[in-house]
Amino acid sequence: MAQADVEYESDGSGSKAKDRFLKPLVADYEELLGRFQQTESVRFEEFTAVWRNMGFSSVFYGSLAGNEMREFCHLTLTMAFNYFLPPYSFQIRVGGLYLLYGLYHTQLASPKEKIRIALKDWEQIQKFYQDSVNSQHYDAVYIIRKLIAENAVLYTAMPQMLTFRVKKKSQHHKVCEEFRDRPERVKDLISTDMLLEVANIQGHYERLKASVLERSSIAVTKQDLLARLHSCVLEFLHWQDRHENRGDADHLVYAEEKAQQVESSNRAQLLASIKTKSYGCLAEASKSRRHRQVQMDTSISGTGYIKEAPKYHKSRAPSLRARTYKKLCGEGQCTSCLMRTQCFVGCNRAAPPVTLQGG
């Protein structure tokens, strides 16, 4: 688990308060630290100006009962402590320290809720304190010493209290990417201690080389190695700053171009959908009229040229009466007409007189 990805475990009593206040509290913290980041300073005076401008002391005002107020104060300190740890930048960590100091002294819980510092986070805090001393940021050094002197820190083994046989709900702290520290691997590699060690090794090498009776013109190391290393590191840092600023400008230009492309693409899709609805959506004919269904011909100039399907007339089979008439009465008189006055198949021919022979 990352150092900034602290899990908040809530049982039945404090889950309601945490679920209700967690997201608004994180939004207020990021707004406060974002304004402090725009000042480009780590002075406590700048932070207090932003604090008073936002009226951040009123975060504890409300109609909360005693137990709920203590739970809320514990939540505010736990959430603010995350911004005091890596991977946030040094300025944001200083702002997180000032935020802890302000929240501790303005909370309404009695006795005051203390700031929990786990064993795994103490090493990072000591390193931060030493960096502040070396950089002469005495505001942050004073705040750390004052919190320890006022017994506002509770040294614990775990970030959260452990409970036995209690149903817990985990909530992860999402690291704000705008506050994340920029990696400086080269600067960490070429440190002051490393340069001093390289200088001592090179001096020892030159002394051993001078003590040899046989002088040699072979030079394994450069005479100006330290100066060249220092200049290379400074050049890389300046290039990184320029590249970062240029990257922000390129990102803005790319965002604008992408927005224009999306707008033109949406317009083209709208026109295509209108054209498709106009020429391509043909109503399906009923079953009795499907032989007259309209078809679309797209072979003429790529446009939706519409032509009507050819008409097919279905020929009906002749009836039994017509077939019998054609068969019996088609070529002269039928034998049945000889015995009747009119043909039974409907030929409407008068029967010839019958001549009886032999009587």
Side-chain angles (χ1 to χ4, degrees):
M1 184 179 62
Q3 293 177 347
D5 296 337
V6 182
E7 293 184 0
Y8 303 101
E9 301 169 351
S10 58
D11 51 15
S13 60
S15 61
K16 294 182 180 180
K18 290 185 179 182
D19 294 340
R20 187 178 10 167
F21 300 123
L22 186 60
K23 292 182 178 180
L25 192 62
V26 171
D28 292 340
Y29 284 171
E30 292 182 356
E31 178 68 21
L32 175 66
L33 295 176
R35 295 186 182 183
F36 179 66
Q37 188 181 28
Q38 292 177 0
T39 61
E40 298 180 356
S41 174
V42 292
R43 303 276 78 86
F44 185 69
E45 182 181 1
E46 300 291 339
F47 181 83
T48 53
V50 178
W51 177 285
R52 288 192 296 268
N53 188 18
M54 294 184 61
F56 218 81
S57 300
S58 61
V59 70
F60 295 104
Y61 296 167
S63 58
L64 294 177
N67 191 22
E68 292 182 354
M69 176 58 70
R70 180 163 295 278
E71 285 288 338
F72 180 70
C73 293
H74 176 75
L75 178 62
T76 55
L77 294 175
T78 304
M79 290 296 301
F81 185 75
N82 293 320
Y83 299 98
F84 185 46
L85 298 176
Y88 293 113
S89 62
F90 183 81
Q91 184 185 10
I92 296 300
R93 294 182 66 183
V94 172
L97 175 64
Y98 296 160
L99 180 62
L100 286 172
Y101 181 79
L103 293 174
Y104 176 77
H105 285 282
T106 56
Q107 63 175 312
L108 300 180
S110 180
K112 292 183 178 296
E113 188 72 19
K114 294 185 178 183
I115 303 170
R116 296 176 60 93
I117 298 181
L119 183 62
K120 68 181 184 66
D121 300 327
W122 183 243
E123 183 179 357
Q124 295 291 339
I125 295 175
Q126 287 181 333
K127 185 178 179 181
F128 173 82
Y129 177 81
Q130 191 63 37
D131 292 340
S132 301
V133 173
N134 296 335
S135 302
Q136 298 182 359
H137 297 312
Y138 298 123
D139 294 359
V141 174
Y142 172 78
I143 294 299
I144 293 177
R145 289 184 176 180
K146 187 171 180 60
L147 287 175
I148 295 176
E150 292 179 350
N151 197 19
V153 178
L154 183 62
Y155 304 98
T156 60
M158 303 293 293
Q160 295 291 327
M161 293 195 321
L162 301 180
T163 53
F164 181 67
R165 289 185 179 180
V166 175
K167 187 177 180 180
K168 300 175 182 179
K169 181 180 179 182
S170 301
Q171 294 177 344
H172 297 273
H173 170 70
K174 295 182 180 180
V175 178
C176 183
E177 297 297 333
E178 297 179 359
F179 300 157
R180 190 183 285 271
D181 190 14
R182 182 182 63 181
E184 297 179 352
R185 305 300 182 188
V186 177
K187 186 177 179 180
D188 296 338
L189 179 63
I190 312 298
S191 60
T192 305
D193 297 336
M194 193 274 291
L195 292 177
L196 292 176
E197 186 176 357
V198 170
N200 294 330
I201 294 174
Q202 187 176 9
H204 183 65
Y205 169 76
E206 294 295 336
R207 289 191 298 270
L208 290 177
K209 183 179 178 181
S211 64
V212 178
L213 296 178
E214 298 180 359
R215 296 295 181 91
S216 176
S217 60
I218 300 175
V220 178
T221 61
K222 300 289 185 180
Q223 293 294 333
D224 57 344
L225 179 61
L226 296 179
R228 293 180 64 181
L229 280 176
H230 189 263
S231 63
C232 289
V233 171
L234 292 179
E235 184 179 358
F236 174 77
L237 292 177
H238 291 323
W239 172 85
Q240 193 176 23
D241 292 336
R242 292 194 304 268
H243 183 72
E244 184 179 1
N245 296 332
R246 186 183 305 172
D248 295 339
D250 294 342
H251 179 71
L252 294 176
V253 174
Y254 175 74
E256 293 178 359
E257 292 179 354
K258 188 175 181 180
Q260 294 177 0
Q261 291 178 1
V262 169
E263 184 178 359
S264 60
S265 177
N266 293 335
R267 179 177 177 82
Q269 291 179 1
L270 180 61
L271 294 176
S273 63
I274 294 174
K275 184 177 180 180
T276 304
K277 290 180 180 179
S278 301
Y279 297 105
C281 300
L282 302 177
E284 184 179 0
S286 60
K287 293 183 179 180
S288 61
R289 297 179 59 86
R290 280 186 179 176
H291 62 281
R292 301 183 60 186
Q293 184 176 358
V294 178
Q295 297 180 353
M296 183 175 64
D297 186 8
T298 59
S299 62
I300 302 178
S301 302
T303 58
Y305 175 74
I306 302 175
K307 67 177 183 179
E308 186 175 356
K311 298 180 180 180
Y312 297 98
H313 297 282
K314 184 177 179 181
S315 59
R316 298 180 59 184
S319 62
L320 178 62
R321 180 178 179 181
R323 292 198 303 271
T324 305
Y325 168 74
K326 182 178 180 180
K327 184 176 181 181
L328 299 179
C329 304
E331 298 179 355
Q333 296 179 356
C334 58
T335 56
S336 300
C337 294
L338 298 177
M339 303 302 296
R340 296 174 177 82
T341 59
Q342 189 174 3
C343 180
F344 75 95
V345 294
C347 61
N348 297 325
R349 284 193 251 172
V354 181
T355 304
L356 299 177
Q357 298 180 359

